[in-house]
Amino acid sequence: MFSFLCHNRVSCFTHCCRELELALTPYDVLRLRLATGLSSTELHDRYIIEELDPEDVFPRYYLTMVDDGKASCVFVNARGCQIYRHRPGACRTYPLGRGTRREQDRVSEQFILLRETHCQGFQEKAVHTVESFMKSQELEPFNRFNDRLTAITQHPQIKEGKQLTDAQRTLYKLALYDLDSFRSQLNDKHIASPLDIPEGVFEDDERLLEFGLDFIEKQFFDR
Ligand code: SF4
Ligand code: SF4
């Protein structure tokens, strides 16, 4: 149980939308596309930074911060988050942090409470459990898709040291983080699918992302 409420009358309003490294998941990018009306390719060009550290197997994607002296999120202004309905999972989860781990064929979760001194939300009276807080922040689809991603990034073959080729990294970005290009390349047969493409999958982004996750698992691990 923890006491917490964030609203636009707290003295720290939007402080947590600055000076942060906001890692994006595939489902976050899907929702950012809905929030902005941009294609996934345009989103990458304007708002997303790709990083690949030498020790990383998979590339990471981060939301751009603005060079305004406060390293603010591109989507924050004095009124708050401009994409609130579609804000990323990490923004919804705060002040909790959710860690996941693949164990054989299931993904387990662990939570931490980030009790940061600048956050006035802890002075509020609203009481939550982890479950009630997750529900209030509509995190179910974020966590469901993120768990599928964990099953890939923590696949036993990855833990045993499997590395990706440059072509596989390109495919990873395409199938999970750039759905518009994935759709058109499948449609034009620029890439071959190792799986039958289910009917109607091109008309529904969530189904296309589910297919992208199946596609990557099949391509990388031949499960
Ligand atoms: S996406 Fe919205 S909630 Fe998340 S850091 Fe940016 S402005 Fe804040
Ligand atoms: S610091 Fe805490 S209370 Fe303040 S805006 Fe962020 S989440 Fe809300």
Side-chain angles (χ1 to χ4, degrees), residues 17 46-47 63-66 72-77 82:
C17 299
R46 289 174 62 171
Y47 295 130
L63 191 60
T64 307
M65 298 294 137
V66 178
S72 303
C73 172
V74 281
F75 295 121
V76 73
N77 69 16
Q82 298 309 293

mmCIF file of all heavy atoms in Angstrom, residues 17 46-47 63-66 72-77 82:
data_model
loop_
_atom_site.group_PDB
_atom_site.id
_atom_site.type_symbol
_atom_site.label_atom_id
_atom_site.label_comp_id
_atom_site.label_asym_id
_atom_site.label_seq_id
_atom_site.Cartn_x
_atom_site.Cartn_y
_atom_site.Cartn_z
ATOM 1 N N CYS A 17 8.874 15.493 -15.701
ATOM 2 C CA CYS A 17 8.915 15.386 -17.171
ATOM 3 C C CYS A 17 10.179 16.046 -17.723
ATOM 4 O O CYS A 17 10.228 16.435 -18.894
ATOM 5 C CB CYS A 17 7.671 16.023 -17.780
ATOM 6 S SG CYS A 17 6.146 15.218 -17.263
ATOM 7 N N ARG A 46 11.632 12.564 -35.950
ATOM 8 C CA ARG A 46 11.428 13.794 -35.167
ATOM 9 C C ARG A 46 11.638 13.638 -33.669
ATOM 10 O O ARG A 46 12.087 14.562 -33.008
ATOM 11 C CB ARG A 46 10.011 14.331 -35.429
ATOM 12 C CG ARG A 46 9.909 14.899 -36.834
ATOM 13 C CD ARG A 46 8.514 15.299 -37.203
ATOM 14 N NE ARG A 46 7.981 16.359 -36.355
ATOM 15 C CZ ARG A 46 6.841 16.981 -36.615
ATOM 16 N NH1 ARG A 46 6.153 16.660 -37.689
ATOM 17 N NH2 ARG A 46 6.385 17.913 -35.803
ATOM 18 N N TYR A 47 11.261 12.472 -33.140
ATOM 19 C CA TYR A 47 11.172 12.392 -31.676
ATOM 20 C C TYR A 47 11.925 11.236 -31.023
ATOM 21 O O TYR A 47 11.902 11.115 -29.794
ATOM 22 C CB TYR A 47 9.698 12.267 -31.258
ATOM 23 C CG TYR A 47 8.848 13.456 -31.588
ATOM 24 C CD1 TYR A 47 7.628 13.304 -32.253
ATOM 25 C CD2 TYR A 47 9.249 14.741 -31.237
ATOM 26 C CE1 TYR A 47 6.835 14.398 -32.551
ATOM 27 C CE2 TYR A 47 8.464 15.835 -31.544
ATOM 28 C CZ TYR A 47 7.260 15.662 -32.203
ATOM 29 O OH TYR A 47 6.489 16.747 -32.490
ATOM 30 N N LEU A 63 12.872 8.704 -26.050
ATOM 31 C CA LEU A 63 12.167 9.913 -26.474
ATOM 32 C C LEU A 63 13.128 11.100 -26.392
ATOM 33 O O LEU A 63 13.885 11.237 -25.421
ATOM 34 C CB LEU A 63 10.960 10.142 -25.551
ATOM 35 C CG LEU A 63 9.949 11.197 -25.993
ATOM 36 C CD1 LEU A 63 9.336 10.853 -27.348
ATOM 37 C CD2 LEU A 63 8.843 11.331 -24.957
ATOM 38 N N THR A 64 13.078 11.947 -27.401
ATOM 39 C CA THR A 64 13.926 13.144 -27.445
ATOM 40 C C THR A 64 13.572 14.099 -26.304
ATOM 41 O O THR A 64 12.397 14.268 -25.983
ATOM 42 C CB THR A 64 13.660 13.899 -28.771
ATOM 43 O OG1 THR A 64 13.827 13.004 -29.836
ATOM 44 C CG2 THR A 64 14.585 15.083 -28.933
ATOM 45 N N MET A 65 14.565 14.717 -25.729
ATOM 46 C CA MET A 65 14.345 15.805 -24.782
ATOM 47 C C MET A 65 14.744 17.125 -25.479
ATOM 48 O O MET A 65 15.581 17.122 -26.381
ATOM 49 C CB MET A 65 15.178 15.607 -23.512
ATOM 50 C CG MET A 65 14.812 14.342 -22.740
ATOM 51 S SD MET A 65 13.153 14.352 -22.027
ATOM 52 C CE MET A 65 12.579 12.682 -22.398
ATOM 53 N N VAL A 66 14.146 18.214 -25.048
ATOM 54 C CA VAL A 66 14.370 19.508 -25.699
ATOM 55 C C VAL A 66 15.549 20.214 -25.044
ATOM 56 O O VAL A 66 15.729 20.129 -23.828
ATOM 57 C CB VAL A 66 13.095 20.377 -25.563
ATOM 58 C CG1 VAL A 66 13.304 21.737 -26.185
ATOM 59 C CG2 VAL A 66 11.914 19.688 -26.190
ATOM 60 N N SER A 72 13.714 19.230 -21.075
ATOM 61 C CA SER A 72 12.298 18.858 -20.948
ATOM 62 C C SER A 72 11.889 17.864 -22.021
ATOM 63 O O SER A 72 12.391 17.898 -23.143
ATOM 64 C CB SER A 72 11.410 20.102 -21.111
ATOM 65 O OG SER A 72 11.756 21.075 -20.163
ATOM 66 N N CYS A 73 10.915 17.045 -21.665
ATOM 67 C CA CYS A 73 10.304 16.138 -22.637
ATOM 68 C C CYS A 73 9.686 16.977 -23.762
ATOM 69 O O CYS A 73 9.123 18.053 -23.505
ATOM 70 C CB CYS A 73 9.222 15.317 -21.931
ATOM 71 S SG CYS A 73 8.222 14.327 -23.055
ATOM 72 N N VAL A 74 9.736 16.489 -24.978
ATOM 73 C CA VAL A 74 9.162 17.238 -26.109
ATOM 74 C C VAL A 74 7.660 17.451 -25.962
ATOM 75 O O VAL A 74 7.102 18.341 -26.609
ATOM 76 C CB VAL A 74 9.390 16.539 -27.474
ATOM 77 C CG1 VAL A 74 10.767 16.757 -27.994
ATOM 78 C CG2 VAL A 74 9.053 15.064 -27.412
ATOM 79 N N PHE A 75 7.006 16.652 -25.132
ATOM 80 C CA PHE A 75 5.545 16.735 -25.062
ATOM 81 C C PHE A 75 5.024 17.470 -23.823
ATOM 82 O O PHE A 75 3.821 17.466 -23.572
ATOM 83 C CB PHE A 75 4.942 15.328 -25.115
ATOM 84 C CG PHE A 75 5.186 14.640 -26.429
ATOM 85 C CD1 PHE A 75 5.866 13.433 -26.482
ATOM 86 C CD2 PHE A 75 4.745 15.213 -27.613
ATOM 87 C CE1 PHE A 75 6.103 12.804 -27.695
ATOM 88 C CE2 PHE A 75 4.979 14.589 -28.835
ATOM 89 C CZ PHE A 75 5.660 13.378 -28.880
ATOM 90 N N VAL A 76 5.905 18.094 -23.044
ATOM 91 C CA VAL A 76 5.415 18.791 -21.850
ATOM 92 C C VAL A 76 5.343 20.293 -22.111
ATOM 93 O O VAL A 76 6.186 20.853 -22.821
ATOM 94 C CB VAL A 76 6.313 18.482 -20.617
ATOM 95 C CG1 VAL A 76 7.661 19.186 -20.680
ATOM 96 C CG2 VAL A 76 5.580 18.811 -19.330
ATOM 97 N N ASN A 77 4.307 20.925 -21.581
ATOM 98 C CA ASN A 77 4.273 22.388 -21.534
ATOM 99 C C ASN A 77 3.648 22.782 -20.193
ATOM 100 O O ASN A 77 3.446 21.917 -19.322
ATOM 101 C CB ASN A 77 3.557 22.991 -22.754
ATOM 102 C CG ASN A 77 2.068 22.721 -22.763
ATOM 103 O OD1 ASN A 77 1.479 22.345 -21.750
ATOM 104 N ND2 ASN A 77 1.442 22.914 -23.919
ATOM 105 N N GLN A 82 1.066 16.875 -23.146
ATOM 106 C CA GLN A 82 0.202 17.143 -24.298
ATOM 107 C C GLN A 82 -0.294 15.865 -24.981
ATOM 108 O O GLN A 82 -1.106 15.933 -25.892
ATOM 109 C CB GLN A 82 0.946 18.029 -25.314
ATOM 110 C CG GLN A 82 1.317 19.387 -24.743
ATOM 111 C CD GLN A 82 0.112 20.070 -24.110
ATOM 112 O OE1 GLN A 82 -0.830 20.450 -24.806
ATOM 113 N NE2 GLN A 82 0.117 20.209 -22.787
#
